[in-house]
Amino acid sequence: MPKAEARAIRHGFPWVYANEMVLDRRTKALEPGSLAVLEDAQRTALGVVAVNPLSKIAARVLDASPGAVIDEAWFEKRLAAAQIHRALLYDAPFYRLVHAEADGLPGVVIDRFGEVAVIQPNAAWAERHLPALVAALVRVTGVGTVLKNAAGRARALEGLDAESGVLAGAAPKGPVSVRMNGATYMADLTGGQKTGLFYDQRESHAFVQRLAKGARVLDVFSHVGGFGLAALAGGAEHALAVDGSAPALALAREGAEASGVAERFETREGDAFAVLQALGGEGARFEVVICDPPAFAPSRQALDAGLRAYERVARLAAPLVAESGYLVLCSCSHAVDLAAFRAASARGIGKAGRRGPLVWEGRAGPDHPVLPQLAETGYLKALAFRL
């Protein structure tokens, strides 16, 4: 591979794109997920990589040592290091255990829900080595059940199927309760979005909880009640959760019951943009408004359209914020950096005729570490404006 790209790999960049390496006939014939030793133009070994000739990411660096053996013991070492970090942070085993490249397991996401772990093997090499990964996971964590979630765009880009299932133990009967920031959330681990619950907003929930004491709260794109339930647990007067998914809102109401705040919690099903417009027409006002949409820009090709969507969210949400209230806007788009998201949000607020300082910027919690060389691992952004 070229000198500049080889230098990046030596400095910790974990990917090699297809146009950065020589893919001869033999290499192109390799099965997706095959292991190989990556070499630079001088034939100096750079480490063990997983190769996928079908993907734009042609190779993912697994180990800087060219002699590394990718077996159960190798997985155990990576998983043990990941668990030690999380055990320092959280009193109970409910967290993201593995955050892909940042935890040394490229393309692999593992969320832990007590005795259950949910794996998203989003790269071909992880799919091929799933038995060893699962065996190591059970040995290191002691979980009784391991589920595979195969939903999502990333697997399709790797040429993988969308078939989820049970890899060890038995699937839980019904949703699993998760306690965070004083609230109880209900996670559907087999039929919900992604792995069933979004742990990444835990720190942002805690911040909003501080803002929301005695407040009326609007939680748009609420999923299973994320911000709204946290706000109520912290003393909010009332929370309205808006989402397009009836099953997600049903879980949110279950969470409100389990949290003991059902009498202060309300849900509204519908398209978020339409509901925001309707609330504006009704003259509704809230001391705290949070909008945490799905990724509007999941790729660079969708960047411009995504930024317009974030601007529109801000424009529709800002009029609903009471004087001196707070507007919290979030983005989980890999392709949108913080500066671009901040600018789009500010434009939307301005077009709504509102003004106010940015008082806080947030990111995913420490169970979602960022690999400095790979901006995509720092995907989550949260902004709080006081209007």
Side-chain angles (χ1 to χ4, degrees), residues 173-346:
K173 299 184 186 303
V176 172
S177 63
V178 179
R179 190 80 173 163
M180 288 192 296
N181 292 313
T184 298
Y185 298 92
M186 307 307 293
D188 181 356
L189 305 188
T190 56
Q193 293 182 38
K194 299 294 180 72
T195 62
L197 190 70
F198 298 109
Y199 284 128
D200 53 4
Q201 288 284 30
R202 189 189 320 234
E203 306 295 321
S204 297
H205 289 169
F207 177 76
V208 167
Q209 192 175 65
R210 290 157 56 195
L211 300 180
K213 290 179 175 64
R216 295 164 296 173
V217 175
L218 175 62
D219 181 6
V220 187
F221 305 99
S222 67
H223 191 226
V224 297
F227 283 95
L229 293 182
L232 290 172
E237 177 186 306
H238 181 270
L240 171 60
V242 176
D243 202 273
S245 168
L249 290 178
L251 289 170
R253 289 190 292 272
E254 283 188 50
E257 289 282 355
S259 301
V261 298
E263 73 283 355
R264 294 183 283 138
F265 185 69
E266 184 183 350
T267 62
R268 188 159 171 173
E269 182 186 346
D271 173 77
F273 292 102
V275 173
L276 285 170
Q277 286 181 310
L279 289 169
E282 296 165 14
R285 294 294 182 272
F286 306 84
E287 282 74 38
V288 180
V289 175
I290 309 103
C291 296
D292 184 17
F296 286 146
S299 66
R300 296 198 180 280
Q301 290 77 11
L303 178 58
D304 290 341
L307 289 173
R308 287 193 297 272
Y310 287 122
E311 179 182 318
R312 186 182 177 206
V313 167
R315 178 171 55 81
L316 292 174
L320 302 177
V321 180
E323 187 69 24
S324 296
Y326 296 90
L327 175 60
V328 180
L329 302 170
C330 306
S331 167
C332 60
S333 294
H334 294 271
V336 176
D337 65 25
L338 178 60
F341 178 56
R342 190 192 298 121
S345 299

